[in-house]
Amino acid sequence: AQKVTQAQTEISVVEKEDVTLDCVYETRDTTYYLFWYKQPPSGELVFLIRRNSFDEQNEISGRYSWNFQKSTSSFNFTITASQVVDSAVYFCALSEWGNTGKLIFGQGTTLQVKP
Amino acid sequence: NAGVTQTPKFQVLKTGQSMTLQCAQDMNHEYMSWYRQDPGMGLRLIHYSVGAGITDQGEVPNGYNVSRSTTEDFPLRLLSAAPSQTSVYFCASSYSITGAATYEQYFGPGTRLTVT
């Protein structure tokens, strides 16, 4: 069975600190996709990134970066120089290859960035 | 494009009442899904559809029905509401080149349902 674990329930940092959100997944599939979504206080879900299981290159997008390590089944998300606007709930999710209708989400990590 | 729309935004039901949560998308997406979000549990898949006329169960399907008669619409029916169904419900849609890849889901704004 597939499973995603985000062990950090809540993280609080001061603005400009770097913060890493952990995501560990379980799957028997050899091909799969991983995602990160952001849920700001307004409640909508915002897509951040998707990564397929063949591509272990790290990705950087502005202050955001993602570290995918297949050997440890982890897909961690780092925010550099955090800002108050980064305060949100962040979800990691896993999907079978080719089945876009079915995402398995982690429990979410609430990030609070204090000024 | 309106994207994914959900109605209503808020709803209060009494135990035993039935209702339908509406979901529509105007992006011609094949895939549509329903999730519920409960504190500390992330989002859990209720039902999903890979195209008009085709639906399948997710992780928590009990107490919910779906059908997909058109590409655009994917309503979620609560047959006899229970307090355990108090939650925030999200509808999502996505596209896929069949079997070739998995793409991100686009989410609606959510429906907050309270069952008393």
Side-chain angles (χ1 to χ4, degrees), chain B residues 15 80 82:
Chain B
T15 297
S80 178

Side-chain angles (χ1 to χ4, degrees), chain A residues 42-45, chain B residues 4-7 9 88-91 107-111:
Chain A
S42 50
E44 74 271 23
L45 284 148
Chain B
V4 180
T5 57
Q6 291 182 237
T7 55
K9 288 188 178 171
V88 180
Y89 291 85
F90 286 97
C91 178
F107 284 84
T111 294

Side-chain angles (χ1 to χ4, degrees), chain A residues 37 39 50 96 98 100-101 103, chain B residues 33 35 37 94 102-103 105:
Chain A
Y37 282 85
Q39 186 177 42
R50 75 178 177 116
E96 301 169 0
T100 301
L103 283 178
Chain B
S33 309
Y35 297 86
Q37 183 178 13
S94 186
T102 303
Y103 293 92
Q105 293 192 355

Side-chain angles (χ1 to χ4, degrees), chain B residues 60-83:
Chain B
V60 288
N62 291 342
Y64 307 96
N65 270 2
V66 292
S67 60
R68 185 134 177 238
S69 54
T70 67
T71 300
E72 295 78 20
D73 300 299
F74 191 43
L76 178 72
R77 296 181 189 84
L78 281 70
L79 307 174
S80 178

Side-chain angles (χ1 to χ4, degrees), chain A residues 24-67:
Chain A
V24 174
Y25 62 92
E26 296 173 30
T27 180
R28 291 185 205 152
D29 297 339
T30 54
T31 55
Y32 48 87
Y33 273 86
L34 295 161
F35 300 81
W36 275 93
Y37 282 85
K38 174 182 180 179
Q39 186 177 42
S42 50
E44 74 271 23
L45 284 148
V46 178
F47 165 73
L48 295 177
I49 189 171
R50 75 178 177 116
R51 173 70 64 192
N52 73 56
S53 52
F54 293 119
D55 184 0
E56 289 194 67
Q57 281 194 343
N58 291 337
E59 178 144 349
I60 298 174
S61 176
R63 296 184 296 107
Y64 295 171
S65 63
W66 290 268
N67 183 325

Side-chain angles (χ1 to χ4, degrees), chain B residues 7 22 24 31 36-38 53-54 58 85-88 98 116:
Chain B
T7 55
Q22 300 292 344
Y31 291 83
R36 58 177 288 174
Q37 183 178 13
D38 302 294
I54 307 170
Q85 293 179 305
T86 294
S87 188
V88 180
T98 305
T116 61

